[in-house]
Amino acid sequence: MSEKMIFNGGQRRIYKEGEIPPVYERLPYDRCEVLTDIAPLEFHQKFKEADLVTTVDVTELVLGVNAEMIDWWWGNLEKGYHLWAPGEHYGFEWIVPPCEVGYEGSVEASYEFDPVHPMVITRVGMEKYPYTTCYEHCWIAQGHLGPAQTTLVHMYEDTEGGILWRTVQIMEEKDLRTLKEQNICMPDTTSHLQYESGRLRYFLPQLYELWKDHPDPYQNVHFDLRVTKTEDGTFRHISDNIIKNH
């Protein structure tokens, strides 16, 4: 067999252009507490001429999981993508699997707002992180909403009983204007994110426990997405997150 297997998240119905998928009620989940007394993020001086705007910024207290589980989850999404947001996650596949390239440069196709056209998301390095503060762990990636490039950030750190989980979406001001001028509707990101965060404790601890001792790093990817601050006030991951010994 000459072609490599594509890691995917289970069976996925192939919808035709214009076909409307069935609507399912959300499964039970506990809506996480949204924290409102969080200091606003400030753009680092290096990014102030980039005309960036923060379009989503939500901080939640997510109980029942820890930061190590979340680090692992980003390399193993195909193992439970449908469990994460049943009825709203239509399908998943790795275009460039992290087991091949590590964290940076891995690419996923996530069918969550559109069952026909996926969000293609590429994980990038912390040199793209534009703020002056960060939590202890950080996942950062870039993709497109219509013609607009967007940077997505999930940062998180352990706290009593769970994690502090901050989700941020960033665009250039000109791209945000283009979306408005072309009347391109933004997906209901906040509601979907609340469903995802509220579902984590229902499946992730059990899934992590099942896989934690599996010895093959190609099948069981482990990342360390802790960050450290550099001399110029920007951030970098403390690990290169390259998969060894496969």
Side-chain angles (χ1 to χ4, degrees), residues 140-243:
I140 180 170
Q142 291 184 329
H144 282 82
L145 291 175
Q149 178 173 280
T150 181
T151 299
L152 308 171
V153 173
H154 290 294
M155 62 178 105
Y156 44 95
E157 61 189 29
D158 289 323
T159 190
E160 185 176 357
I163 59 171
L164 295 177
W165 169 270
R166 190 166 191 169
T167 300
V168 182
Q169 181 174 280
I170 309 153
M171 289 184 187
E172 291 187 16
E173 181 68 41
K174 63 179 179 61
D175 284 344
L176 188 58
R177 286 197 301 269
T178 298
L179 292 177
K180 293 177 180 179
E181 290 168 358
Q182 297 183 8
N183 292 319
I184 296 174
C185 294
M186 300 280 282
D188 187 3
T189 305
T190 300
S191 176
H192 180 71
L193 290 173
Q194 288 173 339
Y195 186 32
E196 287 185 336
S197 59
R199 285 284 304 169
L200 283 170
R201 74 176 186 87
Y202 285 89
F203 74 93
L204 184 55
Q206 299 92 327
L207 191 64
Y208 180 76
E209 187 69 21
L210 282 170
W211 278 91
K212 73 175 186 179
D213 295 324
H214 188 77
D216 188 341
Y218 192 84
Q219 298 175 358
N220 185 22
V221 177
H222 282 270
F223 290 144
D224 181 352
L225 297 184
R226 289 177 295 166
V227 301
T228 186
K229 203 166 193 175
T230 65
E231 290 184 359
D232 68 356
T234 58
F235 292 85
R236 64 173 179 83
H237 285 122
I238 66 172
S239 170
D240 63 12
N241 289 299
I242 301 296
I243 309 304

Side-chain angles (χ1 to χ4, degrees), residues 23-178:
V23 177
Y24 300 98
E25 291 186 12
R26 289 178 171 177
L27 292 188
Y29 72 103
D30 293 329
R31 180 166 291 191
C32 299
E33 179 185 357
V34 176
L35 306 179
T36 57
D37 58 343
I38 303 297
L41 292 165
E42 296 183 9
F43 288 109
H44 189 280
Q45 188 64 38
K46 289 177 64 174
F47 293 88
K48 287 193 173 178
E49 294 183 1
D51 200 26
L52 298 177
V53 59
T54 302
T55 58
V56 173
D57 185 1
V58 179
T59 301
E60 299 169 280
L61 174 60
V62 182
L63 299 176
V65 299
N66 60 41
E68 184 176 304
M69 293 177 190
I70 302 296
D71 278 2
W72 175 85
W73 177 231
W74 300 128
N76 298 274
L77 286 169
E78 80 287 347
K79 297 176 175 65
Y81 186 74
H82 291 91
L83 295 173
W84 196 8
E88 297 183 15
H89 281 182
Y90 300 108
F92 176 91
E93 61 189 15
W94 291 112
I95 298 174
V96 181
C99 57
E100 293 278 4
V101 299
Y103 169 79
E104 277 190 54
S106 59
V107 183
E108 65 184 74
S110 303
Y111 296 80
E112 38 185 82
F113 297 110
D114 184 334
V116 179
H117 308 102
M119 293 178 63
V120 177
I121 301 170
T122 301
R123 284 84 178 281
V124 297
M126 288 297 290
E127 70 275 3
K128 303 290 187 181
Y129 183 84
Y131 300 112
T132 57
T133 57
C134 188
Y135 285 178
E136 292 177 359
H137 299 243
C138 186
W139 174 97
I140 180 170
Q142 291 184 329
H144 282 82
L145 291 175
Q149 178 173 280
T150 181
T151 299
L152 308 171
V153 173
H154 290 294
M155 62 178 105
Y156 44 95
E157 61 189 29
D158 289 323
T159 190
E160 185 176 357
I163 59 171
L164 295 177
W165 169 270
R166 190 166 191 169
T167 300
V168 182
Q169 181 174 280
I170 309 153
M171 289 184 187
E172 291 187 16
E173 181 68 41
K174 63 179 179 61
D175 284 344
L176 188 58
R177 286 197 301 269
T178 298

